[in-house]
């Protein structure tokens, strides 16, 4: 049974902070108990245990969105831990590539978490996709199973898969800085910028009462229906380039960004498009004019008057 903790933002954020501190402590216990094991394996189990703590809390408060910031919080913590472990806690021992990865990941993490915080209204606010899943699930399937596997554990595994390329990027230091690192910085930095600009443009559009019922077809959204998703996908490809630059034999970690493409292209984009179609019939024409993710020459929505 869910506990009613009210709907205020202050209460909600206090609960989130408390839960994430508890999740972090649980992850630390896993690492402490497994001391001596491979850091990559310990990170995986610590990540999974932290996810289970957040899941348990989400069941108690009756809101699966308690997990939402985990997508951006966990990677920053993990990368900091890996760099700290590899450098022995000596800031002077951190290489240029490690600094580049660390700074870019932290900028991405802080911005994305802040974006979530701005839009989250408290424990009374749950992502519409979760509400839809709860209402349309088969009667024989408990909600907690869907929440645990599809909403929380699955994204944790997907993100950890994306971070596999970061492991060699911040722990293998035998290769000097090269052109591939420069490309990685450009791709990752541009991805963060695209995602930030797209989110900002969307917030400003949605916050204008005069745009109620209209389709967002301005700025970056004129050329892509989901430029924020494009930025997110590109971010993980940029991290993979860092891993490739540090250790080419880890090329197989390309599976991480590939899974990101599949997740957004076949889950997130269709869900968002179906919702927009249901609310705005004219969105069908918008879909014909504007590509889902990658802008195409000659295609693009006409600017609204």
């Amino acid at each position: 049974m869910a506990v009613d903790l009210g709907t205020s933002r202050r209460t909600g954020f206090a609960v989130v902070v408390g839960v994430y501190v508890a999740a972090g402590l649980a992850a630390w216990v896993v690492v402490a108990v497994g001391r001596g094991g491979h850091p990559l394996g310990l990170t995986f189990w610590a990540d999974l245990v932290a996810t289970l703590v957040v899941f348990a809390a989400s069941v108690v408060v009756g809101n699966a969105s308690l997990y939402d910031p985990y997508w951006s919080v966990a990677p920053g913590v993990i990368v900091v831990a890996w760099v700290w472990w590899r450098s022995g806690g000596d800031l002077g021992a951190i290489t240029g590539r490690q600094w580049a990865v660390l700074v870019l990941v932290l900028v991405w993490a802080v911005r994305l978490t802040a974006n979530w915080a701005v839009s989250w209204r408290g424990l009374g606010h749950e992502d519409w996709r979760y509400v839809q899943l709860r209402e349309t699930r088969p009667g024989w399937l408990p909600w907690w199973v869907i929440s645990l596997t599809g909403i929380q554990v699955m994204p944790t595994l997907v993100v950890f898969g994306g971070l596999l390329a970061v492991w060699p990027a911040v722990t293998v230091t035998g290769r000097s800085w090269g052109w591939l690192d420069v490309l990685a910085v450009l791709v990752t930095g541009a991805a963060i910028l695209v995602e930030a600009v797209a989110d900002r443009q969307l917030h400003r559009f949605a916050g204008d009462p005069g745009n109620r019922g209209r389709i967002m077809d301005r700025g970056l959204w004129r050329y892509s229906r989901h430029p924020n998703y494009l930025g997110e996908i590109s971010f993980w490809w940029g991290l993979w380039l860092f891993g490739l630059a540090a250790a080419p034999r880890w090329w197989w970690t390309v599976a991480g960004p590939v899974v990101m493409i599949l997740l957004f292209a076949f889950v997130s984009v269709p869900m968002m498009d179906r919702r927009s179609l249901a609310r705005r019939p004219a969105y069908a024409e918008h879909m014909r004019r504007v590509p889902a993710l990658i802008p195409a020459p000659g295609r693009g929505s006409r600017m609204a008057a």
Side-chain angles (χ1 to χ4, degrees):
M1 180 179 294
V3 176
D4 184 6
L5 295 175
T7 59
S8 75
R9 281 169 57 85
R10 180 177 297 181
T11 299
F13 284 122
V15 170
V16 169
V17 171
V19 169
Y20 278 63
V21 169
L25 290 174
W28 177 82
V29 169
V30 171
V31 173
V33 170
R35 189 178 300 277
H38 194 285
L40 189 58
L42 288 177
T43 303
F44 172 78
W45 290 113
D47 193 16
L48 193 57
V49 168
T51 298
L52 294 178
V53 171
V54 175
F55 162 71
S58 73
V59 172
V60 172
V61 302
N63 191 326
S65 281
L66 204 65
Y67 175 85
D68 289 350
Y70 196 88
W71 177 282
S72 54
V73 170
V77 174
I78 289 173
V79 173
V80 167
W82 284 349
V83 172
W84 184 266
W85 168 81
R86 185 64 179 86
S87 66
D90 180 6
L91 295 180
I94 300 178
T95 67
R97 181 181 294 117
Q98 290 172 327
W99 274 119
V101 174
L102 184 60
V103 169
L104 286 167
V105 169
L106 289 180
V107 169
W108 167 86
V110 170
R111 193 214 66 82
L112 196 57
T113 304
N115 187 63
W116 165 82
V118 167
S119 60
W120 195 55
R121 299 189 295 274
L123 294 174
H125 174 209
E126 189 173 35
D127 191 292
W128 64 269
R129 287 164 290 197
Y130 307 159
V131 174
Q132 185 180 84
L133 285 172
R134 183 186 286 108
E135 294 176 346
T136 59
R137 78 184 193 280
W140 54 267
L141 185 61
W143 166 244
W144 70 265
V145 174
I146 297 175
S147 178
L148 174 62
T149 58
I151 295 176
Q152 307 200 34
V153 171
M154 186 274 288
T156 290
L157 296 178
V158 169
V159 169
F160 192 83
L163 287 174
L164 285 177
V166 178
W167 171 257
V170 299
T171 62
V172 178
T173 58
R175 295 174 67 90
S176 59
W177 184 275
W179 67 268
L180 199 52
D181 292 286
V182 175
L183 179 61
V185 169
L186 293 176
V187 171
T188 310
I192 295 172
L193 180 61
V194 166
E195 193 170 10
V197 171
D199 283 339
R200 177 60 178 167
Q201 290 175 342
L202 182 60
H203 283 310
R204 293 182 63 181
F205 180 85
D208 184 350
N211 292 324
R212 189 177 301 276
R214 301 180 67 180
I215 296 170
M216 174 50 163
D217 58 356
R218 306 172 185 177
L220 297 178
W221 301 80
R222 182 183 183 185
Y223 307 101
S224 170
R225 297 201 305 275
H226 307 281
N228 51 342
Y229 291 166
L230 176 60
E232 182 69 10
I233 292 170
S234 301
F235 171 78
W236 295 98
W237 279 98
L239 295 184
W240 177 74
L241 290 174
F242 275 117
L244 192 64
R249 64 188 179 85
W250 282 72
W251 63 267
W252 55 270
T253 57
V254 70
V258 167
V259 171
M260 287 290 177
I261 290 178
L262 297 177
L263 174 66
F264 282 99
F266 295 102
V267 179
S268 299
V269 167
M271 287 188 74
M272 292 299 294
D273 283 345
R274 283 196 297 270
R275 186 187 192 218
S276 295
L277 278 171
R279 300 170 70 185
R280 304 175 182 87
Y283 193 77
E285 175 60 26
H286 180 69
M287 289 178 64
R288 283 191 287 270
R289 292 198 309 265
V290 183
L293 291 168
I294 302 176
R299 294 185 66 187
S301 179
R302 294 185 297 273
M303 290 293 287

